[in-house]
Amino acid sequence: MDLDEAKEFKERCTQCAAVSWGLTDEGKYYCTSCHNVTEISKEVINTGDIPNTKIQAINRGLKRKRKLEKGWDWYVCEGFQCILCQQAEALKTLGVGPELKNEVLHNFWKRYLQKSKQAYCKNPIYTSRRKAVVLEENLSHSDWESEPELLSDFSFPFVESGAESQSDVNTQKSFPVIKASQSETASVCSGSLDGVEYSRRKEKGIVKMTMPRTLAFCYLSLLWQRETITLSDLLRFVEEDHIPYINSFQHFPEEMKLYGRDKGIFAIESWPDYEDIYKKTIEVATFLDLPRFPDITEDCYLHPNILCMKYLMEVNLPDEMHNLTCQVVKLTGIGEVDFLTFDPIAKMAKTVKYDVQAVAIIIVVLKLLFLLDDNLEWSLSNLAEKHNEKNKEDNPWFDFRKWYQVMKRTVDEKKQKWEEARAKYIWKSEKPVYHSSIDKSVVYKRREMVVSLQKQFSTLVDSTPTVGKKSPSSFQFSWSEEDTDRTCFHGHSLQGILKKKDQSLTTKNSLYWLSTQKFCKSYCKHVTTYEESNYSLSYQFILNLFSFLLRIKTSFLHEEVSLVEKKLFKTKYSKTKKKSSRSRKVRRY
Amino acid sequence: MSDFSGELTRPMAEADQVEKSMLSGTGMSIPWLRKQMETVETGGKKEKDFAKTTSACLGLIQEALLKHQWEKAAEYMHSYFQILEDSDAGKRQAAPEIIWRLGSEILYYHPKSNVETFSTFADRMKNIGVMNYLKSVLLLLQISLQHALYLLHHGMLEDANRSLSQAETWRYGEKSSSQDILINLVQAYKGLLQYYAWSKKKMELSKLDEEDYAYGTATQNMRSHSWKTSVNLSALIQIPGVWDPFVKSYVEMLEFYGDQDGAREVLTNYAYDEKFPSNPNAHVYLYNFLKREKAPKEKLISVLKILYQIVPSHKLMLEFHRILRNSDKEEHHKLGLEVLFAILDFAGCTKNITAWKYLAKYLKQILMGNHLAWVQDEWRSRKNWWPSFHFSYFWAKNDWTEDKALACEKALVAGILLGKGCRYFRYVSKQGHQGLKKKMKRMNRAVKSYSIVDP
């Protein structure tokens, strides 16, 4: 808000008669002493360059004065386009090739507009339906439909249901009228041309654009390009604000005004969730009717062999384990091109959760080596410790206990920092988004209050500069040979755990237990459940460690481990079914 | 029921409305059903991360406050302000009070905070709840009151007075009881400030000559002050509660202007009204007032009797003992002994030499008066624990090195109650044998003649 710019306005305030004006972000005058916002707005002179050329292309350049605020006429899909553009730019700065934005994502988006009949088709919905909709809107607005809006600021916690779930006006409770003098257009409004209609639209067979789906688009393009960013990386970058998502509408061009129903569409108050985005990715790809994606071969980053290597490094496990993960990949067949490559047109479209799967393979290997029954891993550690004490010169044997101690400490620290950072996260945009014309001034005043309070308290914060925005990295931990707190185990050998058999090495441990005995076969879509207390502490620790790494639920990872085991022990599963034996332990090979 | 719909919009009024609508059976709008529907709706809905992180943030602020990490608390506070913009109206409405409580706590202790920052914060918070109804008035009053107390704490009386005067003007619709109490408190604090001014004037006045020209105007001035003050104070002290400073200053002013009856009434009411919480000070004030008034002994005794029942270890109890001792009635003499024993039951009084001296002297006096039964009555309940509580070998050694006079008094009491063989007596008489021969002899004789223990 610029006080200087408001100097030329000299009228007295209608509420407090003061002459002290400021300009709101919308270019309206507001009284600095009583915060009364006028309807008079400063004439916007510079309608200059628009940073985004694509928006201009779709923008039909209409200028009508039907709205609360002066600005361009824009459509919801243009808003999403703008956000996708920002996200693509951000990905580019993260090092992704420029083709992702200009070719892949652009094409996906064009295809989406076409499939959803918004553009690039003979009869786009805007030209055909708009008039009818406007008419219908004016007629169908019975009182009760608009009331919740009138009162939304006082007693309805659920009106602003956000983009996660589309609020349906019809489900709102009816409410006695206090004042119905406000015109309906003022209460149900939106900055975009079709915001009101968009938030109501429910068409079968059409995948509606939402904020989480922007990330699905991003991930699809990354996958198409076979980039070195996994889904969990992408979502982590979103949470760390390296990729615009929350409040991304702040960076809309100045003239794209956003209010009313647009709030529910663009303002979002949750970080993306892995499972949700994963599902949406498949949904979008199917809707777009995309062809088979480029093959994921052994030299691709997303191939389990490479991802396993990456995660082994990340969690500080010996490089030698890679040998075993590769064997598991081979035995289970999850390294095959056909298995790994995403094919939306296939009968049962599903893509591999590359990162989760790679981690699950590592967990299976850990179980093969150490059994993780809260017993064997510790006795093997004792052996390793003794050996290492005696042979200080040699390459040390991998000591599970030591590794556990180092990891536990580091992860706990990291987790605490992460939780603190989340608690400090600033959700609200600098530009407040009001829900209806009635609460507009209140929302602005509230924002101003929050800003001034924040300003006051920021002077009381410890002056030592806190670590600023982390630079994006696909690694979250770093290990070094020297630092005893962060001992590096990459070079440690597995000698103590392996033994020679015939000509090859095999694990000393010959037992194994399955994470899931029986898979759920009903239609409820979950294959297994994870009840923490049923499992060994080591297994719990490892699940927690990896699920924190990927920011996913432990149960989700447990499920993936079970699925890998299912492939690895195919014969055992069929046998147990026949014998229906309850033994949890299965002899290996 | 005509204003029914209007009432509904106020969340505070909802609870009353539930019953009303159910009884009246209009059947058109059923608020309690609506309430249920709301809960049903939330039940199925996933909590947003915004809600999760803000509540985590609140937890971290509380933790930081607990550990006195004011800077860290301020840092989280910076993020917590977002809750004022929560889309959940319920949370948004509850937020100002939480923010005020946390923020004022931080600013109260933060090293970089000062009166100015605190006042800015208070003023901002006063302006925050313009939208909310009754609740915000309550909050306003609370903030103003706390702000005033803060200013008082920093010696800024005028600013405190201003803050209180401002608070007086806020009122919303029909009064509620919680609002009333707060308004009364605000007024009473104003009264207290006026009392302070009055008291200062009184000091000046005492320096002036009565013949002086200024004397007249000064007294005039004081009168107007006191009148305002009494109006402000009297309302509050009608309400049950503990209002010690207010009562004290009110009474002082009444007394100064010769309204003894008024003062007595206030104090009697404060002490004896059963609606008021039990408050020893109320009885102390009444007793001091009556003493100043030179009230009859009977009256003083009756007041102190109640105080004795509430706080047997009160320092006035020695005075009580003296009054009882000098009374003519035998029952008072017996009570005098009880009071002494009761004082010494408390760990905090074990080294009170006056109490021991009184006891030693009084025991002799009582036994001389052939009231052995009284002593035995008191001793019966104490003989199991007093020997180790007061008369152990450890205490004998300790008392002797710290305070010989105390040790001698105690030894005499021990001798009378436990006989010559008790450790405390033996130790003290052995130690005293060299230096305090005469005293020891007297002590020995006294014990011999008065000891309640059969030889």
Side-chain angles (χ1 to χ4, degrees), chain A residues 156-183:
Chain A
F156 279 96
F158 312 112
V159 170
E160 299 162 276
S161 55
E164 292 102 312
S165 65
Q166 303 298 325
S167 78
D168 189 351
V169 195
N170 295 323
T171 60
Q172 259 138 29
K173 316 119 262 203
S174 68
F175 204 74
V177 191
I178 33 165
K179 231 196 307 178
S181 60
Q182 299 285 343
S183 71

Side-chain angles (χ1 to χ4, degrees), chain A residues 151-162 164-165 171-178 263 269-273 416 419-429 432 442-443 445-447 449-450 452-463 466, chain B residues 5-6 8-9 11 34 37-38 41-42 45-51 53-54 56-57 60 70-72 74-79 81-82 84-90 92-93 99 103 106-107 110 112-113 116-118 120-121 124-125 127-128 130-131 133:
Chain A
L151 293 164
S152 63
D153 205 60
F154 311 110
S155 41
F156 279 96
F158 312 112
V159 170
E160 299 162 276
S161 55
E164 292 102 312
S165 65
T171 60
Q172 259 138 29
K173 316 119 262 203
S174 68
F175 204 74
V177 191
I178 33 165
K263 183 177 184 180
E269 293 193 337
S270 277
W271 285 296
D273 168 68
Q416 202 194 338
E419 272 160 12
E420 285 173 4
R422 274 167 78 101
K424 275 192 225 164
Y425 191 82
I426 299 288
W427 290 94
K428 298 294 175 180
S429 70
V442 184
V443 167
K445 198 176 167 205
R446 214 179 272 142
R447 176 93 280 258
M449 186 68 83
V450 169
S452 65
L453 284 170
Q454 282 178 336
K455 213 164 148 194
Q456 181 178 17
F457 272 72
S458 59
T459 59
L460 300 173
V461 173
D462 195 5
S463 51
T466 42
Chain B
S5 54
L8 250 183
T9 55
R34 192 173 65 85
M37 275 161 63
E38 267 177 13
E41 254 189 346
T42 30
K45 198 155 168 181
K46 216 182 113 206
E47 197 185 21
K48 285 182 195 169
D49 286 335
F50 175 78
T53 60
T54 42
C57 190
L60 288 165
W70 314 116
E71 272 154 2
K72 202 170 169 192
E75 199 176 326
Y76 286 119
M77 209 51 199
H78 182 269
S79 302
F81 288 128
Q82 292 181 94
L84 289 168
E85 295 179 275
D86 199 319
S87 46
D88 181 332
R92 201 170 54 220
Q93 281 179 357
I99 286 182
I106 293 171
L107 292 178
H110 197 288
K112 274 194 223 156
S113 163
E116 207 179 316
T117 38
F118 192 92
T120 321
F121 180 62
R124 272 194 190 129
M125 292 310 293
N127 285 321
I128 219 161
V130 193
M131 299 284 310
Y133 311 95

Side-chain angles (χ1 to χ4, degrees), chain B residues 371-388:
Chain B
H371 290 299
L372 179 65
W374 295 357
V375 181
Q376 277 170 337
D377 271 354
E378 294 304 315
W379 185 239
R380 200 167 298 130
S381 61
R382 294 181 172 88
K383 68 178 173 208
N384 287 331
W385 60 283
W386 266 39
S388 51

Side-chain angles (χ1 to χ4, degrees), chain B residues 59-76:
Chain B
L60 288 165
I61 296 172
Q62 286 166 334
E63 198 187 315
L65 286 179
L66 207 66
K67 293 179 182 166
H68 292 206
Q69 298 166 328
W70 314 116
E71 272 154 2
K72 202 170 169 192
E75 199 176 326
Y76 286 119

Side-chain angles (χ1 to χ4, degrees), chain B residues 172-188:
Chain B
Y172 170 74
E174 71 243 65
K175 284 191 233 161
S176 70
S177 60
S178 41
Q179 211 183 108
D180 268 350
I181 281 237
L182 276 172
I183 286 178
N184 276 326
L185 257 179
V186 165
Q187 285 171 343

